[in-house]
Amino acid sequence: MARVLNGADDGVLFAEDGWSLDVIGDEPAREGWAATILALSNGALGVRGAIEERAEASTFLAHAYEQAPIHYHEKLKGFATTSDSRVPVAESLGIDVRIDGEAIDFTQLRSATRRTLDLRAGMLRRETRWSFPDGRLLRIFGERIVPLDGSTLLLRRLRAEFDGEGVVTLHPRLAPAPSGATQSDDPRIGVNLASRGFETEQASDELVVERLPGSGIGVAAVQRSREEDGWLLVATGYAAGRDASQTLVADAGALAGTALTDGFEAATAAQRVLLDTFWAGADLTITGEPRLAATLRANLFHLFASAGRDGRSSAAAKGLTGEGYEGHYFWDTEAFMLPVLSVLAPDIARAMLVYRAGTLEAAFANARALDHKRGALYAWRTIEGRECSAHYPSGSAQYHINAAIAFAIGTYVDATGDEGFLAEHGVRMLVETARIWLALGDWAEGRFHLRGVTGPDEYTALIDDNWYTNRMAQKHLRLAVSAADRVAAIDPEAWGWLAAEMELGAAELAEFTRTADGMHLPYDAARGLDAQDASFLDKPRWDVAGTPASEFPLLLHYHPMTLYRHQVSKQADIVLAMVLGGEEVSAERKRRVFDHYEPITTHDSTLSASTFAILANEVGHEAQALDFFAETSLVDIDDRHGNTGHGVHMAALAGSWLALVWGFAGFRPYGPQLRFRPTRPADWQGYSFGLTWRGTLVRVEVAGDQITYSAVSGPEIVIGHHDTEIRLAAGAHWTGALGC
Amino acid sequence: MARVLNGADDGVLFAEDGWSLDVIGDEPAREGWAATILALSNGALGVRGAIEERAEASTFLAHAYEQAPIHYHEKLKGFATTSDSRVPVAESLGIDVRIDGEAIDFTQLRSATRRTLDLRAGMLRRETRWSFPDGRLLRIFGERIVPLDGSTLLLRRLRAEFDGEGVVTLHPRLAPAPSGATQSDDPRIGVNLASRGFETEQASDELVVERLPGSGIGVAAVQRSREEDGWLLVATGYAAGRDASQTLVADAGALAGTALTDGFEAATAAQRVLLDTFWAGADLTITGEPRLAATLRANLFHLFASAGRDGRSSAAAKGLTGEGYEGHYFWDTEAFMLPVLSVLAPDIARAMLVYRAGTLEAAFANARALDHKRGALYAWRTIEGRECSAHYPSGSAQYHINAAIAFAIGTYVDATGDEGFLAEHGVRMLVETARIWLALGDWAEGRFHLRGVTGPDEYTALIDDNWYTNRMAQKHLRLAVSAADRVAAIDPEAWGWLAAEMELGAAELAEFTRTADGMHLPYDAARGLDAQDASFLDKPRWDVAGTPASEFPLLLHYHPMTLYRHQVSKQADIVLAMVLGGEEVSAERKRRVFDHYEPITTHDSTLSASTFAILANEVGHEAQALDFFAETSLVDIDDRHGNTGHGVHMAALAGSWLALVWGFAGFRPYGPQLRFRPTRPADWQGYSFGLTWRGTLVRVEVAGDQITYSAVSGPEIVIGHHDTEIRLAAGAHWTGALGC
């Protein structure tokens, strides 16, 4: 690598072309972080970027998770009874290195490692120089890919060079899964297995069969190797599920065997084709800020790689790059990740929504557990669909997850025009989840109220009329009605059957509309300020600026009740509401919201910065917009929250793209029209990005005070530029002034 | 027993004189209830009323409890880390019965049992007739006492009569403690030990030594027996603590040995003396309602017996009569039990307050855990002093426990004039706990607010400005100031030292007063109604009347969030506030409070009925007052909540006396003046009761429309009768019209 974009020797070094990143060194203190940002995944399998000689707990499967009873000291009615926990599976990376047949004890050697994650090749390359006390040098080279077609396969090749006497040989070996993490006092980790983890049924260097006693999920791992072009080629196939072990072994063995036969070059070529397609749409630049642009590429790479694409999985808070948050799926998958994937990888976005469709039965059960006789309420945190939250004030009380899923359905259909999804899955999901708002809320003095809920901002809990929740519920109810109308128009007969099955009539849809129209959005007239909830503005303000740096994140230093009784936000959700649902709010009101809530927001959630970047830009706070943009972009590359070792922050990675496209380029997810209200920070000379909208690949390039919209391929498209409409056929472009 | 007061054959039968109660039968389904209401205790040792042949888990010691880590699936900062759990100790009641040396298998025999609890003797007598399949009959007779002097001693005597051939012999045997209860989904039981319970160090029929691994508390039990007057006399002595096992064995052995030497009659005579003294003050009658009066006597017996009297223990929610609520002490000890004990057994009341004084250090630690840099906050539930609540919305959020302890100190000092307690313990407790209100609350628009707390009504949680909490905090702050003034006046020099140690100056006391004066008590002017909290009246009302009987208690059938978002009360705490702190509230406001809150109160808490009885009487709802009086009185005798088997409801038992004396007789705990505003329900011909006020034993007798106040012994006293003052010397009485 000829030149790097920054000179730091303890962080990431990007290649000059911005398409690969290097990590130099393998110090234990940084290794958790390094293994996360160098992870490879494909939505089904994730392998952390550890070096083989030291790897442990590096391999995750989307479908390998334990289910264990949640133990409460005081258990109340309706509490979640079991939790899913994604745990590492049989270790794929292990090797023994032998000199004349004798295994090397690497703990006695000094090492120097360079690892390179190639974002276009989807490959991790590594070289480690091991120094013996007597000066001999052993170099180990490796290359690995996890195929982005979604196969549960790790393919890698290894070779060694030795300047001493003796023959060096490499011996890959599978190892049974490590035991799971124990209870952590950091709720951002939170793995707390009652079970003892995997039970091993068979174990050799080439075959591990193991099963989780709680969930009954078995995993087979088969490892095969051969010499190829001077390398040792190693293929590790996995299969996970509740099938019989022999079936799993056969499936895993087939994957490993085929991959071994096809060889490394075939796999890397296929990988390159998939990534070329992705980057054709997703590539972006920031003129004069190449490191930021390269960081955003790395962020998109992880988002794309870790998202589930099989219709039975989604994108966890940490993807498949670590054990954080038990591998659970939350609302931010839909609120942050899906709007990006809907325009950069629509097939994956669809598959993730299909996963939610498949857990609708669990959402019915969850609604019943929370005493709602009708409708569906998605679990706050889950893998298989059941509620896994053991602290309802910041868990099950977050009813807004229903609205986030509705929002994602709407955004996906707006971006793709995929009305087939609406008919097949979406309208049922929208209606059943919308019903919860009616079951939850009540009318008082002509307004509709949602009480005793928690918004995304977990520093406030169990409050009435959370602005975000109410606004998103309002949009959700309207979307359910319009989706029903749309599906009824497309296929009246099928709709008739579906509506009958749902016991849905015109009266209920009218009630949806009446409820949306009556939804209360709290506003403090005396202060001229939208209120985050009914009581928020009454509370004393937390002195965020005067709080010592050592006390952040506040959640690790203060009892939740202390936070709840102050005006203090982990991520002010009213600011998010102004982005996702601010289309009827004036710029002046938004500015007042930003100016009131920003000083009391700690940004202890990595979700916060991107939203603040977007609204800061809208209300004209350019310097803050740039700061927040950097914050969300660099969250993992620079380990800004100190916990990247537990896995990447998927929503923040997605948020960095949102901060660019929704923030500086002024896109908003407010309907089927692609529209931008672009700006350019004075510090930047320009920027560019791409996306796919209703089948048309569009590229947007800002250069100085000009903007160019190009329709690269696909159907003719109408693009809104501020309040102007531009019609472009494939191959055409339009250039004009950036401002309105 | 010649005649009984009711004809039911499946409940309690009272003797005609109202001084003993019989339970006939020993069916398994009723045995939990029977063993509870027939329990004997002395505040240090509790022995359930099981029959020896079937006894298990019947023996409890105030100072034998496990401490185990509380396990959270999601643990947040400041959560309680360990819980105390009082668990049964080595079983004191076991016997083998042998015929010619061969043990009888009682599971093969039919039984008929009569048990009699003698309230004046403090003794349980029993007779069981065991029928063999061949018609032979074995009768077993027993008598037992737990000496009310507080010795950890069970003394009993047993004999057998047999109409068959062979020699029957009785063989008492100790048995090691049973293993603790496992997780229950009923939070009213809630024992959930992580440890395996007692580890046995030594075990024979006459000696058990065992230790709890978590708390390190050891228990020695020594059993000795001899023949006496045709009975087998058995003495079982206990010692519990963190001392060396041999010390415990010596202590337990000395207790058992001395008791065995002294014999049964000596013990029963001493027991009688103690109870004669108690009943001289505590006896009560209800003319025409002998069963109710007898029930109240039984209630007072259990309250008196189960209250801790050693200064290191208090009165648990279930006394020492069962495992419910893990044996924890809560706020109702101070709010319900202590006002009764302060006038019926002032020495015990003092000892219970001394226990709280001894846990002040733990209250400091608890305050710090909840982020308060100054002041003390008593644990919501505890044995040793540390917070044991694992669900803070209905646990640690109940800051009002500080006010309840302050209220009890004030009530105790008012009733006894024991200013020595104030100087020695009380003023420090009052000041340090009052400081929490300043640390917790905030000023807004000239009023002081307490936010994010939970009142006694656990169907509403984490709300702002709970009327009860704010009012009780207001009284607490004023009491702290007046106590400081009083102690400073009595001994200025000692006060100077104490104030310096507390870093307490005049400015802080002035701030207490300013805070009390500014305390916000929410009032809905539009409705003309005091509000239970800032948001309570905005919520939809729960249709209590329309809820099926099978869905009560609601806490077992609805998720807490569902309850929180409705106007529904387990025990409307604003009604309690109108009793404990209603001195500045007009009768008309109280009536509106009663009429609004009563229909939305489920009385799922056994604490509820007594309070409603008192306020119903004050606002003139006599029929409801009588119903609620019956409800609180009969809670355990009639097993009205279906869970007496887990132990008596100590606060409800105390509440039955409060409903009589505060309710019908119109006493209020509003200062050092003894004052009544008596009424008489039309259904009653009269009633009488006694109490001790500032050393004077006073008896009050209502007969028709006349009332007589008698000063039985002690100093001259001034008694308020409505707004009249009556001065009585010992031996004098005053008779006049009941009404004002």
Side-chain angles (χ1 to χ4, degrees), chain A residues 28 139 144 223 256-257 265 276 337 351 401 409 424 451 458-459 464 488 539 590 731:
Chain A
R139 292 186 187 201
R144 67 177 83 142
Q223 195 161 275
E265 294 304 333
D276 283 349
M337 303 181 215
I401 188 168
I409 293 171
E424 190 180 348
R451 304 185 198 274
E458 296 177 357
Y459 285 177
D464 298 343
K539 301 175 186 176
K590 286 178 184 162

Side-chain angles (χ1 to χ4, degrees), chain A residues 280-281 689-693 695-700 708-717 719 728-733:
Chain A
F689 60 90
L691 54 75
T692 298
W693 193 263
T696 305
L697 172 54
V698 174
R699 291 209 55 86
V700 179
T708 300
Y709 298 101
S710 308
V712 178
S713 62
E716 186 179 82
I717 188 168
I719 300 172
L728 291 178
H733 68 270

